[in-house]
Amino acid sequence: MTAPPVEILHHGAVRGVTGSCHELRLVGPTVGPASAGQCPHECGPTEGQHPHECGPAGGQHPHECGPTGGQRPHQGGHTAKQRPHECGPTGGQRPHECGPAAGILIDCGLFQGAETSGEGADRDNLGIDFPVGHIRALVVTHVHIDHVGRVPYLLAAGFEGPIYCSLPSAILLPLVIEDALAVGATRDRKLIARTLERLKSQIRPLAYGKWARVDTGIGTGLEIRLQRAGHILGSAYVECRITTPNARHRVIFSGDLGAAHTPLLPEPEAPLGCQTLVIESTYGDRRHEGRADRVRRLQRVIERALANRGAVLIPAFSIGRTQELLYEIEEIIHARRDEPAARALPWNELEVVVDSPLAAKFTRVYDRLKPFWDAEALQRVRAGRDPLSFEQVRTVNSHSDHLRVVEHLRKTRYPAIVIAASGMCAGGRIINYLKALIDDPVTDILFVGYQAAGTPGRAIQQYGPEGGWVELDGERFDIRAAIHTIGGYSAHADQADLLRFVTEMKRAPDTVRIVHGEAEAKETLQDELVRRLPSTNVMVPVVPSS
């Protein structure tokens, strides 16, 4: 049985890890002069070849169009020198004149830092820059802003189809979009309310592990199934099953996969297999430290700051990372309770400030969604503990209270842990804490997640240890605080997790497309997969920048 006509397009960031947006495009029965079963391509399919791939050249991998100047072997996609229909076009192009097309989007996320799409969208130009008339559905892998932040713009561009996501994501998505609109788009409450009403009317929650049919309208069968990804609550990877009367194909989009032993969440399990895998590579070039090591490092950073009578500032996204940190801090405090954390300050009196109304709201939702927690977390609950809302947690809601806390810490050097958004220091309340405390040597700044290129977080992480400076709200600040990074708290899978996800499939993919990572991470993961799966076409899609 041959493969049906399928193409995968990438509308997200040309490089880096934000603005995630992929399209699975299906093509209906051939119309016009093309011969039966063949797409009217100049480089039509050869025997046993995927109908949308160019034929192999002598000595080349059978799934490649052949490397062009400077292109690595095993690398697919297309460069500016190739015809736009070769090896997967980018947004704005019809795949071929093969009959009607239908597509589904996997995520539609916001850009951060210096990252841009191939069509020119960036953090300041968020309008949808690819055609959406043929898009039949949006599938949301999880509700981080870099995966859903452009959904309102997708609705504004005319998309009226269903939005599929997991049950937890169906609850969390409107909260994320409401905050994104209020902070970054408009203060018009009526407009926000109308957008949210429309969004909620299009959401279709799906249970994990159950196939759901998507109406393509072109005669090609398409079913999707969500499986736990272990990244944040509600996260999923997406299995797509495509069928025609004489062809079938399975595509998997990984979304963001979680790290092993992520607090609160069951680990993702490898799928049985597929023909095509689209996989993230955020940490494709490195491995995280183990959970026990990262908890010890977290405790040491806290103890250092408390001994110096300083604050620990932890930039963290409101959903996922904040709850995982609270979970681990609760365990540290619970295990030591009456022991001194600092002079005249027992651990059980240490103040943990969550300065984010949105994070507090998400934490309450997490509490409501305990059935989706892992066994360890539920065991703590049964023991009478509250891993997310323990007594040392203080939530700051109003802006005036926020400013008072910032000023109190600046003046008194009162030891405390502060968790505030945004996770990349690109906005949010963490900025005021940084402006007040970053030049104080008793302050500790702890990064627990990925910092994208062009963000203040990346600048602090990179130049802080060298005594550099960072620009915040247009003003330059010298970095005298101690800077720490604990990679193990990333919600992203590391290289070992990613390799395990692929190699434990019972049926290895024919093609792996590596996305969602910086160049070195993609290339390193590509090399590792090529070594382990010599019969698989492992490619890094090349998307031309505008």
Side-chain angles (χ1 to χ4, degrees), residues 1-30:
M1 183 173 282
T2 59
V6 172
E7 285 192 285
I8 297 170
L9 295 81
H10 305 289
H11 302 303
V14 174
R15 61 189 65 85
V17 303
T18 69
S20 185
C21 184
H22 311 287
E23 179 185 340
L24 175 63
R25 186 174 292 186
L26 313 174
V27 180
T30 302

PDB file of all heavy atoms in Angstrom, residues 1-30:
ATOM      1  N   MET A   1       0.850  -1.189   0.000  1.00  0.00           N
ATOM      2  CA  MET A   1       0.000   0.000   0.000  1.00  0.00           C
ATOM      3  C   MET A   1       0.883   1.236   0.000  1.00  0.00           C
ATOM      4  O   MET A   1       1.805   1.358   0.802  1.00  0.00           O
ATOM      5  CB  MET A   1      -0.911   0.006   1.233  1.00  0.00           C
ATOM      6  CG  MET A   1      -1.879   1.171   1.276  1.00  0.00           C
ATOM      7  SD  MET A   1      -3.075   1.043   2.628  1.00  0.00           S
ATOM      8  CE  MET A   1      -4.215  -0.152   1.974  1.00  0.00           C
ATOM      9  N   THR A   2       0.630   2.199  -0.898  1.00  0.00           N
ATOM     10  CA  THR A   2       1.458   3.393  -1.004  1.00  0.00           C
ATOM     11  C   THR A   2       1.014   4.438  -0.001  1.00  0.00           C
ATOM     12  O   THR A   2      -0.050   4.350   0.594  1.00  0.00           O
ATOM     13  CB  THR A   2       1.360   3.987  -2.416  1.00  0.00           C
ATOM     14  OG1 THR A   2      -0.011   4.313  -2.674  1.00  0.00           O
ATOM     15  CG2 THR A   2       1.853   2.997  -3.453  1.00  0.00           C
ATOM     16  N   ALA A   3       1.849   5.467   0.161  1.00  0.00           N
ATOM     17  CA  ALA A   3       1.526   6.550   1.093  1.00  0.00           C
ATOM     18  C   ALA A   3       0.601   7.557   0.426  1.00  0.00           C
ATOM     19  O   ALA A   3       0.745   7.854  -0.756  1.00  0.00           O
ATOM     20  CB  ALA A   3       2.805   7.243   1.538  1.00  0.00           C
ATOM     21  N   PRO A   4      -0.380   8.104   1.153  1.00  0.00           N
ATOM     22  CA  PRO A   4      -1.224   9.150   0.582  1.00  0.00           C
ATOM     23  C   PRO A   4      -0.446  10.449   0.445  1.00  0.00           C
ATOM     24  O   PRO A   4       0.596  10.618   1.078  1.00  0.00           O
ATOM     25  CB  PRO A   4      -2.341   9.288   1.629  1.00  0.00           C
ATOM     26  CG  PRO A   4      -1.716   8.841   2.901  1.00  0.00           C
ATOM     27  CD  PRO A   4      -0.729   7.783   2.543  1.00  0.00           C
ATOM     28  N   PRO A   5      -0.921  11.363  -0.401  1.00  0.00           N
ATOM     29  CA  PRO A   5      -0.210  12.636  -0.573  1.00  0.00           C
ATOM     30  C   PRO A   5      -0.308  13.495   0.682  1.00  0.00           C
ATOM     31  O   PRO A   5      -1.378  13.967   1.047  1.00  0.00           O
ATOM     32  CB  PRO A   5      -0.923  13.291  -1.762  1.00  0.00           C
ATOM     33  CG  PRO A   5      -2.262  12.623  -1.828  1.00  0.00           C
ATOM     34  CD  PRO A   5      -2.090  11.249  -1.280  1.00  0.00           C
ATOM     35  N   VAL A   6       0.821  13.674   1.347  1.00  0.00           N
ATOM     36  CA  VAL A   6       0.898  14.401   2.617  1.00  0.00           C
ATOM     37  C   VAL A   6       2.081  15.340   2.561  1.00  0.00           C
ATOM     38  O   VAL A   6       3.141  14.988   2.049  1.00  0.00           O
ATOM     39  CB  VAL A   6       1.094  13.412   3.799  1.00  0.00           C
ATOM     40  CG1 VAL A   6       1.371  14.166   5.086  1.00  0.00           C
ATOM     41  CG2 VAL A   6      -0.107  12.506   3.956  1.00  0.00           C
ATOM     42  N   GLU A   7       1.917  16.534   3.069  1.00  0.00           N
ATOM     43  CA  GLU A   7       3.040  17.453   3.211  1.00  0.00           C
ATOM     44  C   GLU A   7       3.024  18.049   4.610  1.00  0.00           C
ATOM     45  O   GLU A   7       1.974  18.207   5.230  1.00  0.00           O
ATOM     46  CB  GLU A   7       2.983  18.573   2.179  1.00  0.00           C
ATOM     47  CG  GLU A   7       3.370  18.122   0.788  1.00  0.00           C
ATOM     48  CD  GLU A   7       3.592  19.310  -0.132  1.00  0.00           C
ATOM     49  OE1 GLU A   7       2.613  19.920  -0.553  1.00  0.00           O
ATOM     50  OE2 GLU A   7       4.760  19.607  -0.406  1.00  0.00           O
ATOM     51  N   ILE A   8       4.199  18.393   5.107  1.00  0.00           N
ATOM     52  CA  ILE A   8       4.337  19.042   6.405  1.00  0.00           C
ATOM     53  C   ILE A   8       5.000  20.382   6.182  1.00  0.00           C
ATOM     54  O   ILE A   8       6.081  20.467   5.585  1.00  0.00           O
ATOM     55  CB  ILE A   8       5.152  18.168   7.370  1.00  0.00           C
ATOM     56  CG1 ILE A   8       4.406  16.852   7.637  1.00  0.00           C
ATOM     57  CG2 ILE A   8       5.413  18.911   8.682  1.00  0.00           C
ATOM     58  CD1 ILE A   8       5.213  15.831   8.370  1.00  0.00           C
ATOM     59  N   LEU A   9       4.347  21.424   6.629  1.00  0.00           N
ATOM     60  CA  LEU A   9       4.843  22.791   6.483  1.00  0.00           C
ATOM     61  C   LEU A   9       5.107  23.363   7.866  1.00  0.00           C
ATOM     62  O   LEU A   9       4.428  23.021   8.834  1.00  0.00           O
ATOM     63  CB  LEU A   9       3.833  23.665   5.736  1.00  0.00           C
ATOM     64  CG  LEU A   9       3.532  23.315   4.283  1.00  0.00           C
ATOM     65  CD1 LEU A   9       2.535  22.170   4.183  1.00  0.00           C
ATOM     66  CD2 LEU A   9       2.979  24.539   3.544  1.00  0.00           C
ATOM     67  N   HIS A  10       6.091  24.254   7.954  1.00  0.00           N
ATOM     68  CA  HIS A  10       6.467  24.842   9.236  1.00  0.00           C
ATOM     69  C   HIS A  10       6.284  26.357   9.153  1.00  0.00           C
ATOM     70  O   HIS A  10       7.010  27.040   8.438  1.00  0.00           O
ATOM     71  CB  HIS A  10       7.911  24.478   9.571  1.00  0.00           C
ATOM     72  CG  HIS A  10       8.160  22.998   9.548  1.00  0.00           C
ATOM     73  ND1 HIS A  10       7.659  22.151  10.499  1.00  0.00           N
ATOM     74  CD2 HIS A  10       8.833  22.215   8.658  1.00  0.00           C
ATOM     75  CE1 HIS A  10       8.018  20.903  10.210  1.00  0.00           C
ATOM     76  NE2 HIS A  10       8.717  20.915   9.094  1.00  0.00           N
ATOM     77  N   HIS A  11       5.290  26.857   9.876  1.00  0.00           N
ATOM     78  CA  HIS A  11       4.980  28.289   9.854  1.00  0.00           C
ATOM     79  C   HIS A  11       5.566  29.023  11.056  1.00  0.00           C
ATOM     80  O   HIS A  11       5.301  30.202  11.250  1.00  0.00           O
ATOM     81  CB  HIS A  11       3.463  28.494   9.854  1.00  0.00           C
ATOM     82  CG  HIS A  11       2.753  27.849   8.709  1.00  0.00           C
ATOM     83  ND1 HIS A  11       3.055  28.123   7.399  1.00  0.00           N
ATOM     84  CD2 HIS A  11       1.755  26.922   8.674  1.00  0.00           C
ATOM     85  CE1 HIS A  11       2.266  27.404   6.605  1.00  0.00           C
ATOM     86  NE2 HIS A  11       1.473  26.668   7.351  1.00  0.00           N
ATOM     87  N   GLY A  12       6.306  28.334  11.904  1.00  0.00           N
ATOM     88  CA  GLY A  12       6.839  28.934  13.121  1.00  0.00           C
ATOM     89  C   GLY A  12       8.192  29.572  12.895  1.00  0.00           C
ATOM     90  O   GLY A  12       8.552  29.968  11.785  1.00  0.00           O
ATOM     91  N   ALA A  13       8.985  29.626  13.972  1.00  0.00           N
ATOM     92  CA  ALA A  13      10.263  30.312  13.915  1.00  0.00           C
ATOM     93  C   ALA A  13      11.214  29.613  12.948  1.00  0.00           C
ATOM     94  O   ALA A  13      11.270  28.396  12.881  1.00  0.00           O
ATOM     95  CB  ALA A  13      10.893  30.376  15.307  1.00  0.00           C
ATOM     96  N   VAL A  14      11.952  30.412  12.180  1.00  0.00           N
ATOM     97  CA  VAL A  14      12.965  29.886  11.272  1.00  0.00           C
ATOM     98  C   VAL A  14      14.034  29.154  12.076  1.00  0.00           C
ATOM     99  O   VAL A  14      14.544  28.120  11.695  1.00  0.00           O
ATOM    100  CB  VAL A  14      13.595  31.034  10.450  1.00  0.00           C
ATOM    101  CG1 VAL A  14      14.758  30.527   9.617  1.00  0.00           C
ATOM    102  CG2 VAL A  14      12.554  31.674   9.565  1.00  0.00           C
ATOM    103  N   ARG A  15      14.402  29.726  13.200  1.00  0.00           N
ATOM    104  CA  ARG A  15      15.371  29.098  14.093  1.00  0.00           C
ATOM    105  C   ARG A  15      14.917  29.389  15.522  1.00  0.00           C
ATOM    106  O   ARG A  15      14.141  30.296  15.766  1.00  0.00           O
ATOM    107  CB  ARG A  15      16.777  29.653  13.845  1.00  0.00           C
ATOM    108  CG  ARG A  15      16.906  31.144  14.077  1.00  0.00           C
ATOM    109  CD  ARG A  15      18.241  31.683  13.619  1.00  0.00           C
ATOM    110  NE  ARG A  15      18.403  31.577  12.186  1.00  0.00           N
ATOM    111  CZ  ARG A  15      17.935  32.508  11.338  1.00  0.00           C
ATOM    112  NH1 ARG A  15      17.289  33.567  11.784  1.00  0.00           N
ATOM    113  NH2 ARG A  15      18.099  32.370  10.039  1.00  0.00           N
ATOM    114  N   GLY A  16      15.384  28.588  16.447  1.00  0.00           N
ATOM    115  CA  GLY A  16      14.999  28.798  17.837  1.00  0.00           C
ATOM    116  C   GLY A  16      13.799  27.971  18.239  1.00  0.00           C
ATOM    117  O   GLY A  16      13.433  27.006  17.573  1.00  0.00           O
ATOM    118  N   VAL A  17      13.154  28.360  19.337  1.00  0.00           N
ATOM    119  CA  VAL A  17      12.184  27.471  19.965  1.00  0.00           C
ATOM    120  C   VAL A  17      10.811  28.090  20.195  1.00  0.00           C
ATOM    121  O   VAL A  17       9.964  27.472  20.832  1.00  0.00           O
ATOM    122  CB  VAL A  17      12.727  26.959  21.327  1.00  0.00           C
ATOM    123  CG1 VAL A  17      14.049  26.265  21.150  1.00  0.00           C
ATOM    124  CG2 VAL A  17      12.867  28.103  22.331  1.00  0.00           C
ATOM    125  N   THR A  18      10.550  29.287  19.705  1.00  0.00           N
ATOM    126  CA  THR A  18       9.243  29.887  19.956  1.00  0.00           C
ATOM    127  C   THR A  18       8.450  30.001  18.655  1.00  0.00           C
ATOM    128  O   THR A  18       8.928  29.687  17.581  1.00  0.00           O
ATOM    129  CB  THR A  18       9.373  31.268  20.629  1.00  0.00           C
ATOM    130  OG1 THR A  18       9.939  32.208  19.708  1.00  0.00           O
ATOM    131  CG2 THR A  18      10.249  31.196  21.862  1.00  0.00           C
ATOM    132  N   GLY A  19       7.202  30.467  18.786  1.00  0.00           N
ATOM    133  CA  GLY A  19       6.359  30.611  17.609  1.00  0.00           C
ATOM    134  C   GLY A  19       6.003  29.294  16.958  1.00  0.00           C
ATOM    135  O   GLY A  19       5.836  29.207  15.742  1.00  0.00           O
ATOM    136  N   SER A  20       5.867  28.242  17.758  1.00  0.00           N
ATOM    137  CA  SER A  20       5.633  26.906  17.198  1.00  0.00           C
ATOM    138  C   SER A  20       4.330  26.860  16.409  1.00  0.00           C
ATOM    139  O   SER A  20       3.270  27.239  16.904  1.00  0.00           O
ATOM    140  CB  SER A  20       5.589  25.875  18.329  1.00  0.00           C
ATOM    141  OG  SER A  20       5.474  24.581  17.827  1.00  0.00           O
ATOM    142  N   CYS A  21       4.400  26.388  15.169  1.00  0.00           N
ATOM    143  CA  CYS A  21       3.205  26.254  14.322  1.00  0.00           C
ATOM    144  C   CYS A  21       3.558  25.373  13.125  1.00  0.00           C
ATOM    145  O   CYS A  21       4.410  25.729  12.312  1.00  0.00           O
ATOM    146  CB  CYS A  21       2.717  27.619  13.847  1.00  0.00           C
ATOM    147  SG  CYS A  21       1.183  27.559  12.900  1.00  0.00           S
ATOM    148  N   HIS A  22       2.922  24.219  13.052  1.00  0.00           N
ATOM    149  CA  HIS A  22       3.171  23.277  11.961  1.00  0.00           C
ATOM    150  C   HIS A  22       1.853  22.946  11.278  1.00  0.00           C
ATOM    151  O   HIS A  22       0.790  22.983  11.898  1.00  0.00           O
ATOM    152  CB  HIS A  22       3.813  22.001  12.493  1.00  0.00           C
ATOM    153  CG  HIS A  22       4.988  22.243  13.385  1.00  0.00           C
ATOM    154  ND1 HIS A  22       6.208  22.665  12.914  1.00  0.00           N
ATOM    155  CD2 HIS A  22       5.123  22.164  14.729  1.00  0.00           C
ATOM    156  CE1 HIS A  22       7.046  22.820  13.917  1.00  0.00           C
ATOM    157  NE2 HIS A  22       6.400  22.519  15.035  1.00  0.00           N
ATOM    158  N   GLU A  23       1.939  22.613  10.009  1.00  0.00           N
ATOM    159  CA  GLU A  23       0.744  22.241   9.258  1.00  0.00           C
ATOM    160  C   GLU A  23       0.918  20.857   8.650  1.00  0.00           C
ATOM    161  O   GLU A  23       1.937  20.573   8.012  1.00  0.00           O
ATOM    162  CB  GLU A  23       0.465  23.248   8.146  1.00  0.00           C
ATOM    163  CG  GLU A  23      -0.778  22.890   7.316  1.00  0.00           C
ATOM    164  CD  GLU A  23      -1.006  23.817   6.133  1.00  0.00           C
ATOM    165  OE1 GLU A  23      -0.465  24.946   6.140  1.00  0.00           O
ATOM    166  OE2 GLU A  23      -1.706  23.398   5.186  1.00  0.00           O
ATOM    167  N   LEU A  24      -0.083  20.019   8.853  1.00  0.00           N
ATOM    168  CA  LEU A  24      -0.193  18.750   8.139  1.00  0.00           C
ATOM    169  C   LEU A  24      -1.160  18.990   7.000  1.00  0.00           C
ATOM    170  O   LEU A  24      -2.355  19.208   7.226  1.00  0.00           O
ATOM    171  CB  LEU A  24      -0.707  17.650   9.067  1.00  0.00           C
ATOM    172  CG  LEU A  24      -0.986  16.302   8.411  1.00  0.00           C
ATOM    173  CD1 LEU A  24       0.286  15.687   7.847  1.00  0.00           C
ATOM    174  CD2 LEU A  24      -1.656  15.359   9.400  1.00  0.00           C
ATOM    175  N   ARG A  25      -0.651  18.988   5.772  1.00  0.00           N
ATOM    176  CA  ARG A  25      -1.482  19.290   4.614  1.00  0.00           C
ATOM    177  C   ARG A  25      -1.745  18.022   3.815  1.00  0.00           C
ATOM    178  O   ARG A  25      -0.827  17.272   3.486  1.00  0.00           O
ATOM    179  CB  ARG A  25      -0.823  20.348   3.726  1.00  0.00           C
ATOM    180  CG  ARG A  25      -1.715  20.799   2.579  1.00  0.00           C
ATOM    181  CD  ARG A  25      -1.097  21.957   1.802  1.00  0.00           C
ATOM    182  NE  ARG A  25      -1.054  23.180   2.596  1.00  0.00           N
ATOM    183  CZ  ARG A  25      -0.658  24.361   2.095  1.00  0.00           C
ATOM    184  NH1 ARG A  25      -0.274  24.454   0.831  1.00  0.00           N
ATOM    185  NH2 ARG A  25      -0.630  25.430   2.875  1.00  0.00           N
ATOM    186  N   LEU A  26      -3.011  17.798   3.526  1.00  0.00           N
ATOM    187  CA  LEU A  26      -3.450  16.643   2.753  1.00  0.00           C
ATOM    188  C   LEU A  26      -3.943  17.117   1.396  1.00  0.00           C
ATOM    189  O   LEU A  26      -4.541  18.199   1.285  1.00  0.00           O
ATOM    190  CB  LEU A  26      -4.586  15.918   3.486  1.00  0.00           C
ATOM    191  CG  LEU A  26      -4.381  15.656   4.979  1.00  0.00           C
ATOM    192  CD1 LEU A  26      -5.645  15.064   5.586  1.00  0.00           C
ATOM    193  CD2 LEU A  26      -3.200  14.737   5.194  1.00  0.00           C
ATOM    194  N   VAL A  27      -3.712  16.313   0.385  1.00  0.00           N
ATOM    195  CA  VAL A  27      -4.126  16.674  -0.966  1.00  0.00           C
ATOM    196  C   VAL A  27      -5.121  15.642  -1.457  1.00  0.00           C
ATOM    197  O   VAL A  27      -4.911  14.432  -1.335  1.00  0.00           O
ATOM    198  CB  VAL A  27      -2.926  16.764  -1.920  1.00  0.00           C
ATOM    199  CG1 VAL A  27      -3.379  17.146  -3.322  1.00  0.00           C
ATOM    200  CG2 VAL A  27      -1.917  17.775  -1.396  1.00  0.00           C
ATOM    201  N   GLY A  28      -6.227  16.114  -2.015  1.00  0.00           N
ATOM    202  CA  GLY A  28      -7.287  15.235  -2.496  1.00  0.00           C
ATOM    203  C   GLY A  28      -6.938  14.565  -3.806  1.00  0.00           C
ATOM    204  O   GLY A  28      -5.821  14.683  -4.317  1.00  0.00           O
ATOM    205  N   PRO A  29      -7.905  13.869  -4.387  1.00  0.00           N
ATOM    206  CA  PRO A  29      -7.668  13.151  -5.650  1.00  0.00           C
ATOM    207  C   PRO A  29      -7.162  14.076  -6.738  1.00  0.00           C
ATOM    208  O   PRO A  29      -7.540  15.242  -6.815  1.00  0.00           O
ATOM    209  CB  PRO A  29      -9.051  12.598  -5.997  1.00  0.00           C
ATOM    210  CG  PRO A  29      -9.778  12.537  -4.690  1.00  0.00           C
ATOM    211  CD  PRO A  29      -9.271  13.701  -3.888  1.00  0.00           C
ATOM    212  N   THR A  30      -6.301  13.533  -7.605  1.00  0.00           N
ATOM    213  CA  THR A  30      -5.685  14.317  -8.667  1.00  0.00           C
ATOM    214  C   THR A  30      -6.733  14.865  -9.625  1.00  0.00           C
ATOM    215  O   THR A  30      -7.674  14.182  -9.998  1.00  0.00           O
ATOM    216  CB  THR A  30      -4.689  13.449  -9.460  1.00  0.00           C
ATOM    217  OG1 THR A  30      -3.719  12.939  -8.547  1.00  0.00           O
ATOM    218  CG2 THR A  30      -4.008  14.246 -10.545  1.00  0.00           C
TER     219      THR A  30
END
